[in-house]
């Protein structure tokens, strides 16, 4: 009997239509824990180096964790991983909602999709019954229509659906996989991979139970954790506004992405704030499966040109992406932008970057209206923003240039536009200006999937607790967002903590940002759930192993220190005077990189893992492979 | 002796305090220069208890005028600092991760 884990891996080959179930290896659980950890192991073992992300040999891997489906608050998430067609390196995305638990209830810890179907199909999983179903009638439908139709056909509204929209069908490289309508595994083009396999959706229904080794001990821990969440100073803000609180919070700090990061303060932040949203269009709060914090919400627009729009969300990324980043000061319009991305199945961060990128090019006279299909690319033009989202979805006209991400768009446009393309390793950056957040800046530069804030989320730098900075990270400056010392160690710590969250498949907001679960608590949870006898230090080692395995994957793809960089805007252009507390800031990246590599035990010159470090983490085979490729140093 | 000029301070509420209190802003008038501590104590009479108790978990920003960027107020170090006429104190939920 397995505790915590379902104990099974489901493998589906869409080319041969073969369906097989394999037992979950015990070594996998003890060395990689679950979710993201499982996925990274499979990715490394089964995806050859330099594989094209749209190749039929790419694999799409869904992973859930040992707490998913239990009463642990927010243990509702899943990771989906593949070789990224957008970045050409590690592809991985994470989403909440209800799909992850349902996959676990169906009896699977991991689902691996291989090959390519001849014609559009969807996968139907009902416990042990797994069928590849015709989906030609679904192809061409958006995410919402797909889910609605599947519920009707299957006559079961409790089926959880992970679907792609038309963006993935059309090969937009930053298409995501969406569940529960608005829960997005959006980054790095995992939807694009799914679309390249002619796989429209995965519908899963599970009725099995999840066994816990020591229910009494687990229950006590849950009570303790729930109490800690309710009593946390952040609970009211997260329950009332979720991540939308960040619009005003970052704006006041002078690091809200405004008009493509040309400044850090948006003069119309009030109109598009989480507060305005809560006061005017919010209907009620909503939470993910088993979560104590109802940080999401349903909203409805009742008047104006977008009257009738109703949905779940948005998160901060979409809200700021289609407001401050593109200069739009209309809340309903911003919500419409997010809604379109949800329906088409697009990554809001990348979509908002490519649009704000061309708006800046237009502002600077680099591109004309004519080459943008006649669109007026002035800041704040709502019609243009929405038109571009539509064009990107269809890969139509100017939208086709933008549909491969900002790095490729800049290459196609040329004329010096590469200097304004804001990405790291081909992945576009989120809505907070790194010049005002030095640890986040470092995190962007080194994140294993590219310019990403969720690989680390080093929120300690907001604490202003100099004593804690000294004690935990060796320097008081570690606790201040505009300072540098200690940030390498902060990022290392938060990368591994975020990996813990992703391996357990519980929410980073509670585990990391609210610091509810540290390694000691995580060990107690796993001992109660899985019947282990593991320590906090061993849990930390698992997380460090996952991060290092991802580094090995990317090293095999040819990445070195030179790729751990930031766009020139952030390292050379100070935030302007109107950015308040962050005015004048740039990012001095190199010293932070040095400190980070040292903290990691990696080679400071080339940023690569060392043989000593990999062997210490039990990655001897990986070390040998890198050595054979001439990529490893002592 | 001349009486001191009255001091008008805008208190701007963002985040949790705004949503709990149902207020966006107050304009307070004091007969003479007033300290940050006195201003915050004065909010006890204006805000509902549930909103007031959240203030200690929020970030406070001080600007010379409303709509201008502010600087973070450090408490208790700045609690006795006198505030000039026309200033704005913003109460905002702190940045703590996405």
């Amino acid at each position: 009997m397995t505790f915590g884990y379902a104990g099974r891996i489901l493998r589906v080959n869409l080319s041969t239509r073969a369906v097989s179930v394999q037992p979950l290896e015990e070594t996998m659980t003890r060395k990689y824990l679950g979710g993201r950890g499982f996925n990274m192991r499979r990715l490394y073992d089964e995806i050859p180096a330099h594989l094209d992300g749209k190749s039929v040999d790419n694999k799409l891997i869904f992973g859930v964790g040992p707490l998913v489906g239990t009463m642990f608050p927010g243990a509702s998430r899943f990771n989906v991983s593949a070789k990224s067609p957008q970045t050409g390196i590690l592809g991985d995305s994470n989403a909440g909602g209800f799909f992850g638990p349902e996959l676990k209830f169906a009896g699977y810890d991991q689902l691996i999709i291989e090959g390519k179907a001849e014609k559009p199909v969807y996968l139907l999983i009902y416990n042990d019954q797994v069928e590849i179903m015709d989906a030609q009638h679904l192809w061409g439908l958006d995410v919402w229509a797909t889910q609605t139709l599947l519920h009707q056909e299957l006559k079961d509204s409790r089926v959880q659906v992970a679907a792609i929209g038309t963006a993935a069908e059309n090969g937009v490289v930053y298409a995501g996989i969406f569940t529960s309508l608005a829960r997005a595994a959006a980054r790095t083009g995992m939807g694009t991979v799914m679309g390249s396999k002619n796989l429209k959706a995965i519908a899963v229904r599970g009725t099995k139970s999840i066994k816990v080794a020591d229910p009494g001990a687990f229950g006590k821990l849950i009570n303790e954790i729930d109490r800690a969440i309710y009593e946390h100073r952040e609970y009211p803000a997260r329950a009332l506004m979720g991540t939308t609180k960040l619009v005003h919070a970052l704006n006041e700090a002078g690091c809200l992405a405004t008009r493509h990061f040309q400044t850090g303060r948006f003069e119309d932040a009030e109109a598009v704030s989480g507060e305005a949203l809560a006061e005017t269009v919010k209907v009620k709060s909503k939470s993910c499966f088993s979560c104590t914090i109802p940080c999401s919400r349903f909203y409805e627009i009742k008047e104006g040109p977008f009257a009738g729009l109703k949905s779940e969300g948005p998160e901060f990324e979409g809200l700021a992406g289609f407001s401050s980043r593109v200069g739009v000061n209309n809340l309903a319009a911003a919500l419409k932008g997010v809604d379109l991305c949800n329906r088409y199945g697009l990554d809001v961060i990348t979509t908002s970057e490519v649009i704000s990128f061309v708006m800046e090019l237009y502002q600077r006279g680099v591109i004309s209206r004519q080459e943008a299909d006649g669109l007026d690319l002035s800041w704040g033009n709502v019609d243009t923003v929405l038109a571009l989202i539509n064009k990107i979805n269809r890969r139509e006209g100017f939208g086709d240039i933008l549909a491969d991400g900002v790095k490729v768009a800049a290459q196609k446009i040329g004329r010096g536009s590469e200097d304004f393309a804001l990405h790291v390793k081909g992945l576009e950056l989120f809505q907070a200006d790194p010049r005002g957040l030095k640890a986040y800046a470092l995190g962007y530069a080194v994140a294993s999937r590219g310019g990403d804030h969720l690989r680390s989320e080093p929120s300690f730098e907001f604490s202003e607790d100099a004593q804690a900075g000294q004690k935990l990270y060796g320097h008081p400056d570690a606790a201040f967002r505009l300072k540098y010392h200690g940030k390498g160690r902060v990022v290392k710590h938060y990368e591994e903590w975020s990996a813990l969250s992703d391996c357990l498949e519980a929410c980073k907001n509670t585990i990391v940002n609210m610091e509810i679960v540290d390694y000691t608590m995580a060990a107690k949870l796993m001992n109660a759930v899985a019947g282990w006898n593991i320590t906090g230090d061993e849990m930390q080692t698992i997380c460090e192993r996952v991060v290092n395995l991802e580094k090995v994957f990317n090293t095999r793809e040819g990445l070195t220190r030179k790729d751990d960089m930031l766009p020139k805007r952030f390292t050379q252009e100070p935030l302007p005077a109107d950015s308040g507390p962050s005015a004048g800031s740039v990012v001095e990246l190199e010293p932070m990189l040095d400190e980070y590599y040292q903290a990691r035990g990696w080679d400071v010159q080339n940023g690569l893992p060392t043989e000593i470090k990999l062997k210490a983490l039990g990655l001897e085979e990986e070390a040998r492979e890198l050595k054979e490729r001439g990529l490893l140093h002592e | 002796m001349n009486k001191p000029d009255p001091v008008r301070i805008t208190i701007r509420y963002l985040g949790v305090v705004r949503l709990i209190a149902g207020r966006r802003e107050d304009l307070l008038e004091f007969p003479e220069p007033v300290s940050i501590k006195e201003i915050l104590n004065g909010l006890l009479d204006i805000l509902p208890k549930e909103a007031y108790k959240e203030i200690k978990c929020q970030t406070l920003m001080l600007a010379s005028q409303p709509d201008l960027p502010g600087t973070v107020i450090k408490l208790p170090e700045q609690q006795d600092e006198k505030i000039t006429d026309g200033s704005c104190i913003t109460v905002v939920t702190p940045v703590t991760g996405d």
Side-chain angles (χ1 to χ4, degrees):
Chain A
M1 174 181 293
T2 51
F3 293 111
Y5 298 94
R8 304 193 311 166
I9 312 294
L10 175 60
R11 201 177 280 268
V12 177
N13 189 310
L14 297 175
S15 299
T16 63
R17 299 180 76 92
V19 175
S20 62
V21 177
Q22 302 159 336
L24 174 65
E25 308 94 311
E26 172 93 19
T27 49
M28 273 284 262
T29 61
R30 292 305 295 244
K31 290 186 80 173
Y32 296 98
L33 199 55
R36 175 177 153 192
F38 285 177
N39 285 12
M40 295 303 110
R41 184 71 255 173
R42 295 281 179 225
L43 219 59
Y44 187 83
D45 290 339
E46 301 190 20
I47 305 291
H50 310 300
L51 183 74
D52 187 297
K54 289 187 183 175
S55 163
V56 69
D57 294 325
N58 200 359
K59 301 193 184 190
L60 189 67
I61 305 169
F62 293 77
V64 292
L67 299 182
V68 170
T70 70
M71 287 167 53
F72 184 89
S76 62
R77 307 189 71 85
F78 67 94
N79 271 65
V80 53
S81 320
K83 182 69 175 298
S84 171
Q86 180 181 359
T87 62
I89 60 171
L90 186 152
D92 183 48
S93 197
N94 177 289
F98 295 79
F99 181 83
E102 204 70 32
L103 186 65
K104 189 85 169 284
F105 294 146
Y108 307 104
D109 298 295
Q110 200 174 39
L111 165 62
I112 302 170
I113 309 288
E114 301 170 330
K116 177 178 178 172
E118 225 175 272
K119 294 181 183 175
V121 298
Y122 75 91
L123 193 60
L124 176 60
I125 302 171
Y126 191 104
N127 289 339
D128 298 335
Q129 188 186 326
V130 180
E131 292 179 65
I132 300 172
M133 310 288 285
D134 177 54
Q136 290 178 87
H137 61 303
L138 299 175
W139 204 257
L141 297 183
D142 71 23
V143 168
W144 285 38
T146 301
Q147 178 168 311
T148 302
L149 194 48
L150 280 173
H151 281 159
Q152 288 169 359
E153 281 180 13
L154 298 171
K155 296 186 174 51
D156 189 349
S157 62
R158 295 183 69 174
V159 166
Q160 296 300 326
V161 176
I164 58 171
T166 44
E169 294 174 10
N170 295 329
V172 179
V173 298
Y174 43 96
I177 299 171
F178 285 66
T179 77
S180 308
L181 298 181
R183 290 285 153 189
R187 309 233 67 198
T188 71
M190 298 297 94
T192 314
V193 175
M194 193 157 153
S196 76
K197 296 183 173 305
N198 277 337
L199 179 61
K200 178 66 178 175
I202 301 167
V204 62
R205 182 78 173 96
T207 60
K208 302 185 184 190
S209 60
I210 294 160
K211 304 271 187 290
V212 167
D214 187 341
F218 187 57
K220 279 197 186 127
L221 290 171
I222 297 303
N223 284 341
E224 185 183 328
I225 287 167
D226 271 341
R227 182 58 42 205
I229 291 173
Y230 280 128
E231 292 175 357
H232 197 283
R233 61 187 158 77
E234 281 187 44
Y235 182 84
R238 291 193 180 270
L240 289 172
M241 287 187 292
T243 61
T244 65
K245 68 185 173 92
L246 289 170
V247 173
H248 264 315
L250 284 168
N251 200 53
E252 293 299 312
C255 39
L256 178 66
T258 300
R259 286 183 283 278
H260 198 231
F261 296 90
Q262 291 187 81
T263 185
R265 190 172 165 92
F266 187 44
E267 64 280 4
D268 291 321
E270 168 56 36
V272 295
S273 63
E275 291 83 340
L277 195 158
E279 288 164 347
T280 59
V281 300
K282 177 179 171 180
V283 174
K284 65 176 186 176
S285 295
K286 179 187 181 285
S287 68
C288 290
F289 174 88
S290 187
C291 190
T292 314
I293 310 176
C295 75
S296 188
R297 72 218 57 78
F298 291 114
Y299 70 83
E300 183 176 0
I301 312 279
K302 290 190 174 159
E303 53 192 20
F306 304 107
L309 173 61
K310 44 188 175 182
S311 185
E312 181 192 343
E315 298 298 333
F316 163 70
E317 294 308 321
L319 180 58
F322 295 114
S323 62
S324 64
R325 193 165 184 155
V326 292
V328 164
N329 61 7
N330 182 306
L331 177 63
L335 295 175
K336 181 65 180 176
V338 178
D339 181 65
L340 286 178
C341 286
N342 286 344
R343 288 175 187 270
Y344 295 149
L346 285 164
D347 173 359
V348 292
I349 296 176
T350 299
T351 306
S352 64
E353 164 57 20
V354 297
I355 294 174
S356 57
F357 164 69
V358 295
M359 284 178 149
E360 179 167 4
L361 293 185
Y362 180 69
Q363 170 199 320
R364 292 177 181 275
V366 176
I367 58 174
S368 65
R369 277 184 80 149
Q370 194 183 357
E371 61 189 298
D373 300 341
L375 292 173
D376 173 7
L377 295 171
S378 300
W379 295 110
N381 190 320
V382 169
D383 291 340
T384 291
V385 171
L386 301 181
L388 281 174
I389 297 173
N390 283 312
K391 283 176 178 285
I392 289 166
N393 171 52
R394 294 191 296 264
R395 292 203 78 117
E396 174 190 281
F398 192 56
D400 187 50
I401 291 177
L402 305 183
D404 290 319
V406 80
K407 179 180 176 182
V408 173
Q411 287 166 352
K412 288 179 180 171
I413 293 170
R415 288 166 265 169
S417 65
E418 291 90 335
D419 284 346
F420 301 104
L422 302 180
H423 67 90
V424 177
K425 304 181 179 77
L427 189 66
E428 297 79 359
L429 305 175
F430 93 130
Q431 322 296 353
D433 198 307
R435 288 170 288 190
L437 311 165
K438 310 300 186 190
Y440 276 80
L442 175 62
Y444 289 154
V446 301
S448 58
R449 55 179 191 167
D452 167 46
H453 63 293
L454 291 170
R455 248 21 190 188
S456 54
E457 274 274 50
S459 48
F460 178 79
E461 68 173 351
F462 304 126
S463 70
E464 303 200 341
D465 186 342
Q467 245 184 341
Q470 177 67 53
K471 183 179 174 194
L472 298 172
Y473 304 109
H475 202 287
D477 287 359
F480 298 89
R481 62 182 177 88
L482 294 175
K483 299 190 176 177
Y484 290 99
H485 290 296
K487 296 300 169 72
R489 290 181 286 277
V490 171
V491 169
K492 174 194 183 286
H493 175 74
Y494 276 79
E495 278 187 325
E496 288 158 15
W497 206 354
S498 292
L500 174 69
S501 181
D502 289 339
C503 290
L504 294 174
E505 294 298 353
C507 186
K508 273 193 196 77
N509 281 328
T510 38
I511 288 191
V512 180
N513 294 333
M514 294 171 73
E515 302 184 357
I516 297 292
V517 175
D518 60 11
Y519 292 116
T520 302
M521 174 57 84
K524 288 181 188 173
L525 285 163
M526 285 308 298
N527 292 340
V529 165
W532 291 357
N533 185 16
I534 196 168
T535 65
D537 285 346
E538 287 167 324
M539 293 292 286
Q540 182 274 328
T541 299
I542 291 173
C543 300
E544 190 175 6
R545 182 180 299 119
V546 171
V547 172
N548 273 264
L549 183 59
E550 293 176 0
K551 182 67 176 180
V552 172
F553 184 98
N554 283 339
T555 300
R556 200 170 65 174
E557 296 296 329
L559 297 191
T560 64
R561 176 172 179 146
K562 66 169 174 40
D563 299 293
D564 292 343
M565 46 69 78
L566 287 172
K568 276 191 226 171
R569 166 151 294 164
F570 303 129
T571 57
Q572 295 179 15
E573 293 178 33
L575 271 167
D578 66 353
S579 301
S582 300
S585 294
V586 290
V587 181
E588 293 171 29
L589 182 61
E590 300 305 312
M592 289 198 292
L593 275 179
D594 289 343
E595 188 186 282
Y596 171 77
Y597 294 141
Q598 278 165 359
R600 282 242 157 264
W602 295 348
D603 187 299
V604 174
Q605 299 304 314
N606 57 32
L608 299 184
T610 58
E611 188 173 8
I612 293 171
K613 173 52 69 175
L614 293 180
K615 282 182 170 174
L617 292 169
L619 295 173
E620 296 88 351
E621 281 305 305
E622 291 74 15
R624 185 189 53 74
E625 182 179 351
L626 289 188
K627 223 172 172 180
E628 284 170 2
R629 291 173 181 264
L631 296 171
L632 194 64
H633 300 254
E634 297 288 332
Chain B
M1 192 170 89
N2 292 332
K3 279 168 61 174
D5 293 330
V7 173
R8 292 178 192 83
I9 309 290
T10 302
I11 313 294
R12 203 168 136 244
Y13 308 111
L14 302 176
V16 175
V17 173
R18 169 165 154 182
L19 293 182
I20 295 175
R23 306 171 80 91
R24 292 192 175 197
E25 159 172 316
D26 281 309
L27 180 63
L28 307 182
E29 186 167 316
F30 301 89
E32 57 186 14
V34 63
S35 71
I36 291 174
K37 183 178 174 184
E38 288 166 314
I39 293 172
L40 293 179
N41 287 341
L43 293 181
L44 247 179
D45 297 327
I46 299 172
L47 297 175
K49 221 187 319 183
E50 302 76 21
Y52 184 80
K53 76 175 170 77
E54 291 297 328
I55 289 182
K56 65 179 183 297
C57 301
Q58 311 307 302
T59 297
L60 303 179
M61 313 277 298
L62 175 64
S64 57
Q65 298 173 42
D67 298 331
L68 284 185
T71 54
V72 174
I73 298 173
K74 294 193 190 314
L75 294 175
E77 296 92 325
Q78 288 180 261
Q79 67 180 7
D80 295 323
E81 191 173 301
K82 299 290 186 191
I83 305 301
T84 56
D85 180 45
S87 294
C88 174
I89 292 179
T90 298
V91 181
V92 59
T93 297
V95 181
T96 50
D98 192 3

